[in-house]
Amino acid sequence: MIDRRSFVLASMAALLPLRVSAGLCEPQLVPTTFDYGPAKLDIYAPDGAKNLPVVFFVHGGAWQFGKRGQVGAKAAFLLANGFCFVSIDYRMLPQADVSTQASDVEKAYAYVRANIAGHGGDPRRIVGMGHSAGCHLIALTGMRGGLPGVAGLLLDDTRAYDLARLEKNGGMVRAYARVFSDPSQWAALSPANYVEGRNHPPTFIAYSRAQGRGEESKAFAERLRAAGTKVTLFDGSAYTHMSINRDFGEDGDALTAAALAFLKSTVG
């Protein structure tokens, strides 16, 4: 784990200390909202931005809940460290099934890729990021080629990498059992099924101490590595499923420091 002193020094080296930089960024934290078709997305960009790398974020919420505005400290932190930040809505269950949600993510990404240059972002340097259900959707769309040109994937805490494996290990319960109730869809909705035979961008995989997250994340990381993908695996067993998302961008957060290092090495 990265201690507080090391994190602050790393943040200073990148740009500014987190608390100071977030404060300076505050006036810029009112996003510009766009309708990309199925839903809306928010673009956060510093004034005068030009050719900055972009983090494209998909929120969680068990495929049923959540809003694009629930980004915590992510936007302030990433803007302070030289990024544009995009957060999207997508249609929720029961209005839209998971396959439709994945299509929404791909349409939002296509919109951002086509338009982000006008807001100071570089369409050649977009990293897809998601938490929980959003993590699954980013992994699924990224692995199956639905995010063309994506520079990296930042995957934050899901068990839904391989649904058949999840069922075999007794994990197809609660939200997973409700959302993935049709076994005939498991193969198409499993990111792991798209690993072999494709080139994938550098991938950062984080997991919390929530049940099964570490086991499924490690198995997915191993499969990606075996296929030749560069993988960073973050042991987030100090976090709950909620705090591993909520604490991102906060002062001294270990995941934030590791993710920033990944982002800088990938698109910085």
Side-chain angles (χ1 to χ4, degrees):
M1 289 293 185
I2 299 174
D3 60 28
R4 178 186 176 90
R5 181 175 180 274
S6 297
F7 176 79
V8 171
L9 290 174
S11 297
M12 290 177 65
L15 276 181
L16 294 168
L18 176 58
R19 292 288 186 196
V20 174
S21 59
L24 290 176
C25 208
E26 199 67 36
Q28 303 167 351
L29 292 185
V30 176
T32 306
T33 301
F34 297 92
D35 188 331
Y36 69 88
K40 294 182 179 180
L41 58 81
D42 289 339
I43 296 177
Y44 300 78
D47 291 338
K50 185 176 181 181
N51 295 326
L52 296 182
V54 180
V55 174
F56 173 88
F57 179 70
V58 181
H59 67 76
W63 299 270
Q64 301 174 74
F65 312 106
K67 297 179 180 179
R68 67 183 187 277
Q70 297 170 334
V71 299
K74 295 178 185 69
F77 176 81
L78 289 166
L79 264 65
N81 282 281
F83 291 81
C84 294
F85 181 74
V86 178
S87 182
I88 76 164
D89 277 337
Y90 52 97
R91 289 171 289 178
M92 301 277 98
L93 288 167
Q95 177 192 4
D97 61 14
V98 177
S99 179
T100 301
Q101 292 175 354
S103 178
D104 286 357
V105 170
E106 292 173 352
K107 289 175 182 176
Y109 174 84
Y111 181 94
V112 171
R113 192 180 186 209
N115 293 280
I116 196 64
H119 303 275
D122 186 346
R124 300 166 300 177
R125 294 191 293 161
I126 303 176
V127 173
M129 176 183 181
H131 170 251
S132 193
C135 173
H136 165 260
L137 291 170
I138 280 289
L140 175 62
T141 56
M143 291 295 115
R144 74 185 189 184
L147 309 179
V150 72
L153 301 175
L154 206 166
L155 308 179
D156 186 13
D157 210 34
T158 188
R159 295 183 74 179
Y161 292 118
D162 185 335
L163 298 174
R165 173 188 161 90
L166 187 63
E167 166 66 16
K168 182 178 179 180
N169 292 341
M172 194 60 76
V173 295
R174 296 184 292 278
Y176 293 100
R178 293 192 300 272
V179 174
F180 302 107
S181 59
D182 182 358
S184 71
Q185 297 296 312
W186 290 353
L189 298 177
S190 294
N193 283 354
Y194 301 93
V195 168
E196 287 79 19
R198 298 169 182 257
N199 293 322
H200 301 294
T203 300
F204 181 103
I205 302 173
Y207 61 87
S208 72
R209 64 172 176 267
Q211 185 176 9
R213 298 309 197 282
E215 181 181 6
E216 300 302 330
S217 296
K218 291 173 185 176
F220 186 57
E222 290 173 6
R223 191 161 179 173
L224 279 169
R225 284 172 176 155
T229 302
K230 182 179 179 181
V231 177
T232 301
L233 185 64
F234 179 83
D235 181 350
S237 53
Y239 297 87
T240 66
H241 178 60
M242 299 304 292
S243 69
I244 201 170
N245 176 59
R246 183 188 63 230
D247 294 352
F248 191 99
E250 296 292 348
D251 191 12
D253 179 57
L255 172 61
T256 303
L260 180 62
F262 168 79
L263 289 168
K264 292 290 187 179
S265 68
T266 303
V267 295

